Amino acid sequence: MTTLPRVSLDGLATVASTADLRATMAASRSTASVARLARAGGAASARVPHNKRREAMDAATWERIKDHPCYSEDAHHYFARMHVAVAPGCNIQCNYCNRKYDCSNESRPGVVSGRLTPEGALAKVRNVAARLPQLSVVGIAGPGDALFQAERTLKTFELIRAALPDLTLCLSTNGLALPDHVDALKALDIGHVTITINYLDPEIGAEIYPWIFHNHKRWKGVEAARILHERQMEGLERAVEAGVLVKVNSVMIPGINDEHLTEVNTAVRARGAFLHNVMPLISDPAHGTKFGLEGRRGPSPAEIHTLRESLGNDARLMKHCRQCRADAVGMLGEDQCQSIDTMAPAATADDTPRPDPEIRAAWREVVADSRAAHKVAADEAEAVVAAAAPAAEDRLVAVCTRGGARVNLHFGKATEFHIYKVGAEGIRFAGIRRADNYCLGGYGESERLDTILTVLEGVSAMVCVKVGDGPRRRLEAAGIACHQDTRHETIETVIADWYADAVGAPMGAVSQPA
């Protein structure tokens, strides 16, 4: 089974019609994928995604998230998002934030290479949607706060909603101004809102936020944190009452709120938050943030994993976040904002190319087919795991993938590893761990491998298309088995194959399907 094409921005120069897209997709299907699709009934039905959320999801909710790459782990394999940087101002100061301008090599919240007017944002969205049929979501995430200068955000949404009604619109906010704008968001059919909530206790909040600006006044210390907390809770409750799906982001800051986030999780879920996204503090001194300059460390991948696990299987956690720039474009983990900025943009929205609705509809049909086939493959893999060792110890597996929910990447080219837990409960997605790729110009970098080994702490196996003898030996010496698979099969299928072979076998053995 081959990989579902990503249809990159560059590649779309040759995709001029629905027929072109269908031909490209048809060429990617092997006999095995067609057979699996037939057994699945030929169409995707409303369902809980294959990583088996513990809380039931009704068909209407699935329809709202199935094409949103942030709200659905399943969707991020198939759909792209775009952030438009129309909101430069902010009403709070975070000790982990520095809103630098034109930092093209950084990928973190608050960073942009250009700021847009609402009209410029519409032109850019049209430009991207005409080239990227995967584009399903347009969001506003800064570089400041989306609701501090709400008129810019609301005007942008109004223009995009009128011109491109098939796109899902969403925003991210610190929540301070959210209670004042829930009705306006609802009127524009903004059904997805993310709020960053890092604490419940104002004493803890005061260590994260030195000041806020509210009601024409700057507040500091514990009083500022108290106001921010109350406004965040009010905004969360009002948004949920209005039918908005709310995702809560929480930054894990060792020594400040790491032990407190279990209480945050309980509180936001009790108020109806749909998802909780626990993210690591980004704390590089080069970024110029207070936490970075004072040497406060970010949590290790293993610490993030332990905290998420402590929240329980029913916590409905987002585990595939990439902590995107405020002008991000493309698939999660494959930002193409710089490519977009180098395309000669039109002077106005009226001069930009128009998206072809048939091509965009064709992409969704192809995704539905792929999801149906994927579901069959994932169910078969679950059965293999259950039969192999129903009571075996859980193990973490690192997957090298370039998308499409398949093992389709060489180890040396991986800049991130998709982590899955496999064991008595089957196969579960557990998160993303990022590191610079091992190979540069055909040669491996020893220092990069040192970092990769640290990133893969606690992992039992790594599955990929191929791994060289040198890195394989070091991975095995660290207790990480290497499993090579050249079929470009679904992730669950390859993990199940490795697991069935590994149960009862010594760790550190390399295997490859016949």
Side-chain angles (χ1 to χ4, degrees):
M1 186 181 295
T2 54
T3 301
L4 186 73
R6 296 298 288 273
V7 191
S8 68
L9 292 173
D10 295 335
L12 279 178
T14 61
V15 179
S17 68
T18 304
D20 290 339
L21 179 58
R22 291 188 186 282
T24 300
M25 302 308 301
S28 76
R29 289 192 194 145
S30 67
T31 302
S33 67
V34 173
R36 280 177 173 152
L37 178 58
R39 292 200 300 274
S45 59
R47 61 179 180 83
V48 176
H50 69 270
N51 63 333
K52 293 184 173 56
R53 300 289 189 194
R54 292 296 185 176
E55 295 177 349
M57 186 180 300
D58 59 81
T61 302
W62 172 242
E63 282 297 314
R64 295 179 67 185
I65 72 165
K66 67 184 178 67
D67 297 345
H68 198 308
C70 299
Y71 278 70
S72 165
E73 188 272 324
D74 179 270
H76 102 277
H77 296 296
Y78 307 108
F79 290 100
R81 55 50 178 127
M82 178 178 183
H83 293 167
V84 288
V86 299
C90 199
N91 47 5
I92 71 173
Q93 177 61 53
C94 311
N95 285 332
Y96 54 76
C97 180
N98 183 10
R99 294 182 297 280
K100 288 185 177 180
Y101 180 74
D102 197 20
C103 298
S104 60
N105 294 321
E106 295 182 22
S107 182
R108 60 186 177 87
V111 173
V112 297
S113 291
R115 298 168 185 170
L116 300 170
T117 64
E119 293 76 15
L122 174 60
K124 191 169 183 178
V125 171
R126 273 184 167 155
N127 193 22
V128 173
R131 292 169 168 80
L132 197 67
Q134 303 105 309
L135 182 67
S136 62
V137 172
V138 174
I140 298 176
D145 185 75
L147 295 176
F148 178 50
Q149 296 170 302
E151 65 280 359
R152 295 171 62 91
T153 292
L154 297 175
K155 178 63 175 178
T156 302
F157 282 144
E158 181 180 350
L159 293 173
I160 296 172
R161 174 63 72 214
L164 298 157
D166 72 320
L167 290 174
T168 296
L169 304 180
C170 64
L171 67 81
S172 296
T173 176
N174 57 49
L176 182 58
L178 178 59
D180 302 329
H181 300 289
V182 170
D183 292 341
L185 296 174
K186 185 65 176 177
L188 287 169
D189 192 28
I190 312 301
H192 302 74
V193 169
T194 296
I195 312 172
T196 299
I197 300 177
N198 292 321
Y199 67 94
L200 304 178
D201 182 347
E203 295 285 347
I204 293 175
E207 296 186 62
I208 304 171
Y209 304 102
W211 58 261
I212 68 169
F213 187 79
H214 177 62
N215 280 346
H216 310 288
K217 178 180 177 181
R218 181 169 297 196
W219 305 78
K220 298 181 180 180
V222 174
E223 183 63 11
R226 181 191 63 77
I227 294 170
L228 177 59
H229 165 67
E230 291 176 354
R231 297 283 288 178
Q232 287 175 337
M233 295 299 109
E234 180 185 355
L236 169 58
E237 292 171 356
R238 290 195 60 194
V240 170
E241 289 173 1
V244 174
L245 294 181
V246 177
K247 175 167 68 72
V248 170
N249 285 352
S250 296
V251 180
M252 181 181 178
I253 309 168
I256 292 182
N257 72 345
D258 46 344
E259 297 181 0
H260 183 56
L261 288 181
T262 54
E263 299 176 42
V264 172
N265 177 263
T266 299
V268 300
R269 291 190 64 213
R271 288 168 172 80
F274 180 74
L275 277 177
H276 190 196
N277 176 25
V278 177
M279 310 180 298
L281 170 70
I282 298 174
S283 188
D284 186 334
H287 297 156
T289 67
K290 182 178 186 299
F291 282 159
L293 293 174
E294 70 184 21
R296 184 169 295 279
R297 71 173 182 88
S300 69
E303 288 173 325
I304 286 283
H305 176 76
T306 298
L307 175 59
R308 288 172 175 166
E309 288 291 294
S310 74
L311 299 180
N313 286 330
D314 65 342
R316 204 193 290 274
L317 301 175
M318 179 185 182
K319 299 179 181 179
H320 59 283
C321 179
R322 306 310 202 280
Q323 295 177 271
C324 302
R325 295 165 57 100
D327 57 1
V329 176
M331 309 292 281
L332 296 188
E334 192 178 70
D335 199 348
Q336 300 182 55
C337 62
Q338 301 305 315
S339 300
I340 289 293
D341 288 339
T342 58
M343 295 177 182
T348 69
D350 291 336
D351 297 331
T352 57
R354 294 296 191 269
D356 185 332
E358 291 189 7
I359 290 179
R360 293 180 59 76
W363 178 261
R364 282 165 171 77
E365 290 180 20
V366 167
V367 168
D369 288 351
S370 182
R371 275 175 158 156
H374 188 184
K375 182 180 185 301
V376 173
D379 289 346
E380 291 173 354
E382 292 275 340
V384 169
V385 169
E393 179 183 353
D394 290 339
R395 301 181 186 182
L396 296 182
V397 179
V399 177
C400 298
T401 177
R402 61 180 178 86
R406 302 183 185 280
V407 178
N408 52 17
L409 188 65
H410 288 221
F411 167 78
K413 296 181 180 179
T415 56
E416 63 180 27
F417 300 91
H418 292 223
I419 307 298
Y420 284 75
K421 183 169 74 169
V422 56
E425 294 186 349
I427 303 171
R428 303 286 183 272
F429 178 74
I432 302 288
R433 301 190 185 184
R434 310 188 76 173
D436 290 334
N437 56 297
Y438 170 65
C439 286
L440 286 175
Y443 297 93
E445 293 285 335
S446 179
E447 291 184 0
R448 290 192 172 196
L449 188 53
D450 292 340
T451 301
I452 290 170
L453 290 172
T454 300
V455 166
L456 296 183
E457 178 186 355
V459 169
S460 297
M462 184 273 301
V463 300
C464 61
V465 171
K466 188 173 179 59
V467 58
D469 290 339
R472 176 180 59 81
R473 285 191 293 268
R474 288 199 60 189
L475 287 161
E476 291 175 359
I480 301 174
C482 297
H483 181 81
Q484 301 175 140
D485 193 308
T486 60
R487 299 172 296 169
H488 287 205
E489 263 289 5
T490 59
I491 289 171
E492 292 87 352
T493 298
V494 179
I495 290 176
D497 288 346
W498 166 79
Y499 187 73
D501 290 340
V503 170
M507 298 303 296
V510 63
S511 59
Q512 179 161 355

